[in-house]
Amino acid sequence: MVLVLTGAAPTVSAKPPLHQQIDSLIAAGNPQFEQQAAPLADDATFLRRVTLDLTGTIPTADEVRTFVADSAPDKRSQLIDQLLASPEHARRLQYLFDTMLMERRPSKYVKSAEWEEYLRQAFLENRPWDELVHEMLTVDGTDKATRPAARFLLDRELKSEVVTRDLGRIFLGRDLECAQCHDHPNVNDYLQRHYHGLNAFLSRSYLFKDPKTKLASIGEKAEGQVSFTSVFTNEEGKTAPRILDLPEIPDPADMKDAYKVKPAKNVRSVPVYSRRLQLAEALTGSENQAFQKNIVNRVWAIMLGQGLVEPLDMWHSDNPPTHPQIVKLLTEELQSHDYNLRYLFRELALTKTYQRQSHVSPEAKLPEKNLYGMGLLKPLTPEQLAWSMMQATGVSTATLEGLQAKQRKVDEKKKTKLADDPLWQEETLHTALQGNVTAFVRTFGIVGAQTSRFDASADQALFLLNGTTIQAWLSPSGNRLTARLKKLKQPAEIAEELYLSVFSRFPTETEIKQVSKFLKSNPKYSDQDLQQLVWAALSSDEFRFNH
Amino acid sequence: MKRNQGCHSLDHQIARRQFMAGAAGGAVCLGLSDLSAHAETVKGQHKRILQVYLQGGVSQLESWDPKPGTEFGGPFRAIPTSVPGMHISELLPHTAQRMHLLSIVRSINIKTNDHSQGRLFMEKGRRAGEYPYVGSIASRYLAPVNSDLPGYIHISTRGLSDATSAFLGAQHAQLKFEGVKPPQNLGLPKNLNETANNRRLQLRQQFNQQFRQGRRKSQTETFDASFQQASKLMARKSFFEKAPADKDLERYGKHDFGRNCLLARTLLENNATCVKVTHHGYDSHAENFNFHLEQLGEFDKTFSMLLDDLHERGMLESTLVMVYSEFGRTPKINVRYGRDHWGTAWSIALGGCGIQPGAVIGKTNDKGTAVADREVDAGHLFHTYLQALGIDSTRDHDIRGRSIPIGDPTTQPIKELLA
């Protein structure tokens, strides 16, 4: 995007790059900010953090060694670009946006595999966010090619209270649920007409089940108005479709030939004028700032661990953004970059704000309130946890090597080079290990509303403590971590390999001593001791959180 | 713009602060006391719930609201109970003798005949939306800080997986036991003994100590709490392994429900906060009468024994007992001698903590087809459960800057049922 301008004389004043502007705004008004803030994280910590955030897993021990040893001054930005271009980045966004959009709902009418693949392709191509949302809200599910995009609506069965609430929460950052029956009791900004204005876009659409194919798709009628009554005040209201306080969108005056396909038994009716199609226009249109701010806030929350507005779906005047200027800046930038999310991820990763270490020195006091003076702990998502554990224990690498060896034989015959293709590798490995990821999602996934809170339950701990999946990964076979540790003789070497593989960093002197003390507490350490060592590291806070 | 007058948002805020302050105070007391030394006192004070969920929808006509000799009354008689003037179905002879401990609500209309919607409404007190179940609320507000067990345990022999805790968080979600089988992964991996387990846990703590320096602790403490809960459960593995005494089995019955209720008793005795036992199989679209004869036969004896035991142990005053379904069954008997789904006029039974015993709330008309007096829905019941437990359901959950009314602000508790 930016490259297009190279060579052309800059027409606008040369502003500093976005990431620098963000850092300035974070520090604005506090001349002491830089002295008070935590320093930038070291290379290893940065590598782990950004690899997790952009690709959903931790780096390998070798990647840590290479990155730490690299002396290029721009190695962090090089790394960011490399990660953003990787197939793993598209997978990470597939997981994130699937969770955000579908909230781990079971698939009902659209197969989740097809939906996930749709999302992944979109992120591989880095499709603009507004275009993607536009598509999800306009397709009706009848065209096989675009059907997966209809999952947002179809798998909510077009139930008006579900879809309306989720449109408000997920795309506008406003949980209008309470405003269904009355103006929100505690939030002055959430009015009943906001809820019903959104509802009016969809009130004429319905789930149509084709009696022959049994396939569900979206039908729509040409009439039907939305009116509402407050359960508290009995005030009545009427509204045409509208996004929050933007103007109402009236139906066209002449509705004589209202239907392309008239309603009849077992027929999917299609109106000439579709309110639902207006929704996508109105929601993603440039007038609607709520849509822009919402996605900016959500991407910020993914990278920085909390939203500029938190909770993410509680935008209102009593809960303003911590940094309104940043919201404004990011919103404008996202628009001028055509909703290019990759650009946003890149710039955020480049900020000092993102790169600060997540702890203060032992003698320093923790800042009263966290306003980005230090990094936040971010609990790993179920998917990140699964992939990171498989990476740490060596399961991913061993599995991929096996798959590659098989493919190389095929490649040789067919004169292809698939085994070396990163996209093929990611897809093949993903298919092979998907079952494990599902097991983690089942145990650690939170159904329903997305939240930035961290929660942990007994059955999750039992899964980590005693579950067969993780126990199996600890057995010292092939080139797995425990097998590699077994070959090493010196506790210091063992500590180094362990720390690089699990914590993505070199151990300190104290930590080497601790490892060696643990191993020496048994006269001759066994496989069991090594497994316990790796288990304890995998179950620790340092592994559970991106820090 | 005229704002609504119904929610009294300012009241909410003030009341909430008092409520939270009260809750925190209580928690600190429990946290500081030595639980083992004060076990007896804590047992007395700690409020609990026993939920017996008759899944599928028990027939009110064959249980709490019989109409013998009427068009839809079915073949069973009504029998007198230990409460003068109160009659229930002859299918519940043991329970009938204990009705002075319980009360009946006969006038429920939830306006849905859908299993899932009815279940969610009965559990959340809301028709829609992501709200916590009664059990999760109990876990959040009633479970002692150092509780030996997770706050909300559900013993069931079939899979109904619900998101129960909503914004209260995973630590208050129901932990599901498949019957008396232990939760998954309760046993140590086979090559690990107790000593090795302690060793690895110590090592885990060693890793953590280093990491925690210079960092905020709230998230890592939550993570730790899950391991502590897991360890407590592992330590109580014997709950599941120890065969119940013959005498108990004889009394409770040697079937799944009997065993599950015995486990529920053990859990409640050990300070669990909410224990839910599901008795499956009331969805009697065909052969309703034979089904209820069988099902309620199993329920009646077992439930009565459990009620006796709670009563005798002095636990009933602090334990809310709920016997409920997702809806009732149609008065009209279908061609297969079945009754279908009926949310329009049905009953539940309540007792114990905070509940006026021996009462009958509301009534249905002569044929049992509609509520004739004191209509309530699951929203009213929800307020009633919580207020019986001393939780002010008109106040708000305070979740990270978001105030959410605990009970639906448009409904109220059934005041005359509260002791």
Side-chain angles (χ1 to χ4, degrees):
Chain A
M1 292 270 161
V2 181
L3 288 181
V4 180
L5 294 173
T6 315
T11 47
V12 205
S13 64
K15 270 195 208 157
L18 178 57
H19 59 271
Q20 286 177 16
Q21 294 183 58
I22 295 170
D23 289 330
S24 311
L25 286 171
I26 289 283
N30 180 3
Q32 308 284 302
F33 185 85
E34 203 54 48
Q35 287 102 291
Q36 290 166 354
L40 295 196
D42 59 33
D43 281 342
T45 306
F46 171 74
L47 172 69
R48 183 182 195 272
R49 183 185 300 173
V50 77
T51 309
L52 270 167
D53 280 331
L54 297 184
T55 69
T57 186
I58 57 168
T60 62
D62 284 344
E63 282 164 352
V64 182
R65 285 193 179 95
T66 312
F67 188 72
V68 171
D70 188 349
S71 58
D74 63 341
K75 66 179 179 179
R76 291 197 182 191
S77 67
Q78 275 187 36
L79 171 72
I80 293 166
D81 288 337
Q82 185 192 318
L83 296 175
L84 286 170
S86 71
E88 285 79 5
H89 176 61
R91 184 75 69 184
R92 159 80 169 146
L93 292 193
Q94 170 211 308
Y95 286 145
L96 280 171
F97 281 81
D98 172 36
T99 313
M100 178 179 121
L101 295 166
M102 298 314 294
E103 300 185 328
R104 308 209 187 278
R105 231 167 250 282
S107 78
K108 193 141 192 169
Y109 297 112
V110 176
K111 287 194 184 106
S112 50
E114 288 171 13
W115 158 255
E116 284 156 15
E117 184 56 17
Y118 164 75
L119 287 178
R120 190 177 68 99
Q121 285 302 333
F123 293 118
L124 275 173
E125 296 162 26
N126 190 26
R127 290 179 63 190
W129 173 242
D130 59 337
E131 181 190 304
L132 206 58
V133 175
H134 197 280
E135 184 164 88
M136 287 189 283
L137 298 178
T138 47
V139 294
D140 57 22
T142 53
D143 180 358
K144 201 168 181 296
T146 57
R147 184 175 168 80
R151 184 163 180 231
F152 183 85
L153 293 174
L154 282 179
D155 278 2
R156 288 177 171 81
E157 300 182 85
L158 281 150
K159 279 187 185 160
S160 118
E161 73 278 4
V162 180
V163 178
T164 305
R165 180 180 181 214
D166 287 354
L167 284 173
R169 288 173 46 235
I170 297 169
F171 296 122
L172 300 171
R174 282 163 174 77
D175 186 350
L176 299 169
E177 180 169 46
C178 289
Q180 180 177 358
C181 310
H182 48 73
D183 290 344
H184 197 291
N186 299 346
V187 179
N188 287 323
D189 298 355
Y190 292 1
L191 305 180
Q192 210 173 353
R193 66 161 189 268
H194 294 154
Y195 181 94
H196 292 281
L198 275 183
N199 186 26
F201 284 107
L202 287 149
S203 59
R204 295 173 179 176
S205 295
Y206 61 91
L207 191 79
F208 171 77
K209 279 184 214 163
D210 191 306
K212 276 182 221 138
T213 61
K214 306 282 175 214
L215 225 53
S217 58
I218 303 171
E220 189 174 351
K221 296 202 173 109
E223 66 276 336
Q225 305 299 333
V226 163
S227 63
F228 50 90
T229 315
S230 166
V231 296
F232 289 143
T233 62
N234 292 328
E235 276 176 288
E236 283 179 43
K238 252 194 186 138
T239 183
R242 69 193 300 176
I243 306 280
L244 305 175
D245 284 321
L246 292 175
E248 289 184 81
I249 300 166
D251 291 344
D254 178 24
M255 298 271 283
K256 266 181 214 146
D257 294 318
Y259 283 102
K260 286 184 198 165
V261 182
K262 282 202 173 117
K265 198 174 177 242
N266 294 338
V267 171
R268 189 179 73 93
S269 60
V270 183
V272 173
Y273 174 79
S274 162
R275 280 193 171 185
R276 190 168 53 80
L277 295 187
Q278 302 304 311
L279 170 66
E281 291 297 322
L283 193 82
T284 61
S286 57
E287 292 297 296
N288 180 20
Q289 291 191 12
F291 176 75
Q292 302 150 12
K293 290 177 177 172
N294 170 68
I295 190 62
V296 157
N297 194 43
R298 283 172 186 267
V299 172
W300 180 278
I302 291 167
M303 293 299 279
L304 278 307
Q306 70 181 24
L308 293 157
V309 165
E310 188 71 44
L312 302 181
D313 55 1
M314 286 306 267
W315 284 85
H316 59 85
S317 46
D318 293 335
N319 186 35
T322 53
H323 297 78
Q325 295 299 323
I326 295 182
V327 173
K328 186 165 173 279
L329 174 67
L330 291 179
T331 305
E332 287 163 3
E333 285 278 326
L334 188 65
Q335 261 188 301
S336 64
H337 284 82
D338 296 326
Y339 290 89
N340 179 350
L341 294 184
R342 198 175 287 176
Y343 167 72
L344 204 54
F345 278 108
R346 179 176 192 274
E347 290 298 318
L348 291 181
L350 284 169
T351 59
K352 283 202 264 181
T353 309
Y354 174 78
Q355 298 191 14
R356 291 191 193 285
Q357 68 184 29
S358 63
H359 58 97
V360 293
S361 55
E363 59 277 7
K365 247 179 70 183
L366 280 168
E368 280 289 303
K369 207 174 157 197
N370 194 309
L371 284 177
Y372 305 110
M374 62 188 259
L376 285 177
L377 295 191
K378 292 175 282 188
L380 302 194
T381 64
E383 292 90 350
Q384 282 177 318
L385 193 59
W387 284 108
S388 298
M389 284 212 182
M390 292 192 284
Q391 184 85 285
T393 51
V395 169
S396 305
T397 311
T399 308
L400 182 61
E401 280 167 1
L403 294 163
Q404 277 178 302
K406 245 194 222 162
Q407 185 60 34
R408 289 229 161 81
K409 284 179 195 156
V410 181
D411 282 352
E412 220 166 280
K413 271 187 217 150
K414 292 192 174 173
K415 296 213 156 86
T416 51
K417 282 191 171 169
L418 274 183
D420 299 319
D421 175 22
L423 188 59
W424 176 89
Q425 290 174 6
E426 197 281 333
E427 287 172 351
T428 313
L429 186 63
H430 186 268
T431 309
L433 298 178
Q434 200 167 11
N436 294 331
V437 181
T438 310
F440 274 70
V441 169
R442 215 182 295 125
T443 309
F444 294 90
I446 296 169
V447 183
Q450 202 173 8
T451 150
S452 330
R453 280 170 59 94
F454 172 67
D455 270 307
S457 62
D459 52 354
Q460 293 171 0
L462 288 170
F463 179 85
L464 297 175
L465 280 158
N466 308 325
T468 48
T469 315
I470 293 165
Q471 288 303 317
W473 294 344
L474 296 177
S475 74
S477 70
N479 199 24
R480 290 202 191 145
L481 176 58
T482 43
R484 296 204 305 275
L485 297 180
K486 209 173 151 179
K487 284 183 202 139
L488 300 170
K489 293 286 166 275
Q490 293 305 319
E493 293 173 328
I494 293 177
E496 183 175 310
E497 188 64 20
L498 173 79
Y499 270 75
L500 284 171
S501 304
V502 179
F503 296 135
S504 321
R505 65 176 174 89
F506 287 95
T508 63
E509 283 302 320
T510 322
E511 287 164 342
I512 295 172
K513 272 187 207 138
Q514 277 170 357
V515 168
S516 102
K517 201 175 142 213
F518 175 79
L519 293 174
K520 279 179 186 155
S521 65
N522 264 6
K524 191 173 183 300
Y525 58 82
S526 60
D527 288 3
Q528 193 46 250
D529 295 316
L530 292 174
Q531 291 186 36
Q532 285 178 32
L533 190 64
V534 176
W535 179 87
L538 289 175
S539 310
S540 71
D541 297 341
E542 186 168 351
F543 194 81
R544 184 71 185 82
F545 297 95
N546 190 3
H547 49 83
Chain B
M1 179 86 220
K2 223 163 101 192
R3 300 314 308 261
N4 80 75
Q5 300 303 308
C7 271
H8 305 299
S9 55
L10 188 62
D11 287 0
H12 277 179
Q13 309 269 337
I14 296 162
R16 186 186 76 239
R17 268 185 229 119
Q18 289 165 347
F19 173 56
M20 296 311 287
V28 170
C29 285
L30 287 171
L32 291 175
S33 64
D34 174 1
L35 269 181
S36 56
H38 296 281
E40 283 312 308
T41 18
V42 173
K43 238 181 220 174
Q45 289 165 355
H46 170 211
K47 289 177 178 167
R48 290 163 293 230
I49 310 183
L50 165 69
Q51 298 182 308
V52 182
Y53 174 50
L54 306 181
Q55 186 270 331
V58 70
S59 167
Q60 68 284 2
L61 293 157
E62 274 69 56
S63 57
W64 313 115
D65 192 12
K67 305 272 182 188
T70 65
E71 183 181 0
F72 304 129
F76 301 116
R77 291 176 307 160
I79 53 170
T81 68
S82 57
V83 178
M86 183 199 278
H87 287 65
I88 63 173
S89 169
E90 65 171 325
L91 296 182
L92 300 170
H94 293 94
T95 310
Q97 290 169 32
R98 291 159 180 85
M99 285 314 290
H100 58 286
L101 301 174
L102 300 173
S103 284
I104 303 174
V105 182
R106 279 181 176 154
S107 50
I108 306 170
N109 180 3
I110 55 165
K111 297 176 185 160
T112 178
N113 294 326
D114 179 275
H115 282 294
S116 146
Q117 280 180 29
R119 184 178 84 245
L120 296 177
F121 191 15
M122 287 298 285
E123 292 285 4
K124 300 176 179 185
R126 305 293 216 285
R127 284 186 195 280
E130 284 136 17
Y131 293 96
Y133 279 37
V134 177
S136 290
I137 293 179
S139 167
R140 167 69 181 77
Y141 295 111
L142 301 178
V145 171
N146 290 333
S147 174
D148 283 354
L149 288 164
Y152 179 19
I153 295 170
H154 180 190
I155 309 166
S156 156
T157 33
R158 268 185 246 165
L160 282 174
S161 239
D162 288 343
T164 58
S165 62
F167 42 78
L168 295 181
Q171 74 205 85
H172 300 297
Q174 70 175 22
L175 182 69
K176 203 158 145 198
F177 291 4
E178 280 172 46
V180 291
K181 262 202 303 192
Q184 282 196 339
N185 303 314
L186 203 51
L188 281 175
K190 53 180 179 304
N191 48 6
L192 227 57
N193 59 25
E194 198 64 29
T195 322
N197 183 42
N198 287 333
R199 200 162 162 254
R200 68 175 179 159
L201 285 171
Q202 268 169 22
L203 187 60
R204 176 180 175 272
Q205 282 307 345
Q206 205 173 68
F207 282 127
N208 288 347
Q209 271 160 24
Q210 229 121 17
F211 183 73
R212 288 180 188 181
Q213 285 170 13
R215 287 189 164 92
R216 274 196 185 71
K217 294 190 177 55
S218 67
Q219 291 185 318
T220 49
E221 276 170 2
T222 304
F223 191 39
D224 252 2
S226 72
F227 277 89
Q228 282 163 20
Q229 277 201 337
S231 292
K232 284 172 179 173
L233 274 177
M234 287 167 68
R236 278 153 191 78
K237 199 162 167 246
S238 58
F239 282 2
F240 313 98
E241 287 169 347
K242 208 172 76 187
D246 281 347
K247 206 177 76 192
D248 277 338
L249 262 187
E250 208 62 55
R251 290 174 62 229
Y252 277 65
K254 291 179 179 168
H255 39 72
D256 281 348
F257 185 60
R259 289 171 198 275
N260 292 350
C261 282
L262 271 172
L263 176 59
R265 189 188 75 184
T266 310
L267 293 168
L268 287 166
E269 284 170 347
N270 283 275
N271 263 328
T273 297
C274 180
V275 179
K276 174 174 172 177
V277 184
T278 293
H279 193 211
H280 293 279
Y282 287 89
D283 196 13
S284 53
H285 289 282
E287 293 294 341
N288 175 70
F289 304 105
N290 287 335
F291 257 106
H292 276 76
L293 188 63
E294 223 168 87
Q295 289 296 104
L296 284 175
E298 203 169 271
F299 162 81
D300 179 47
K301 173 87 186 300
T302 307
F303 172 69
S304 296
M305 296 304 110
L306 180 53
L307 198 62
D308 283 354
D309 287 351
L310 292 181
H311 188 41
E312 277 165 25
R313 286 159 168 75
M315 291 166 68
L316 203 53
E317 302 104 82
S318 56
T319 309
L320 172 72
V321 177
M322 301 165 50
V323 183
Y324 66 115
S325 286
E326 62 268 49
F327 44 54
R329 308 214 70 82
T330 47
K332 193 170 182 303
I333 301 159
N334 69 27
V335 290
R336 289 156 295 161
Y337 303 101
R339 295 191 192 267
D340 302 310
H341 302 175
W342 191 244
T344 313
W346 59 287
S347 317
I348 68 163
L350 293 174
C353 180
I355 295 292
Q356 184 75 50
V360 177
I361 306 293
K363 60 178 182 188
T364 48
N365 64 14
D366 289 348
K367 288 184 177 180
T369 52
V371 171
D373 182 34
R374 187 62 171 113
E375 179 172 307
V376 295
D377 67 22
H380 301 92
L381 293 170
F382 190 80
H383 279 285
T384 311
Y385 311 141
L386 297 184
Q387 299 211 3
L389 291 161
I391 297 173
D392 187 347
S393 56
T394 63
R395 293 176 182 170
D396 286 10
H397 298 288
D398 182 17
I399 308 298
R400 284 243 297 196
R402 184 189 296 229
S403 296
I404 300 159
I406 294 179
D408 182 341
T410 64
T411 59
Q412 307 81 37
I414 306 169
K415 287 245 163 66
E416 62 272 33
L417 194 51
L418 294 172

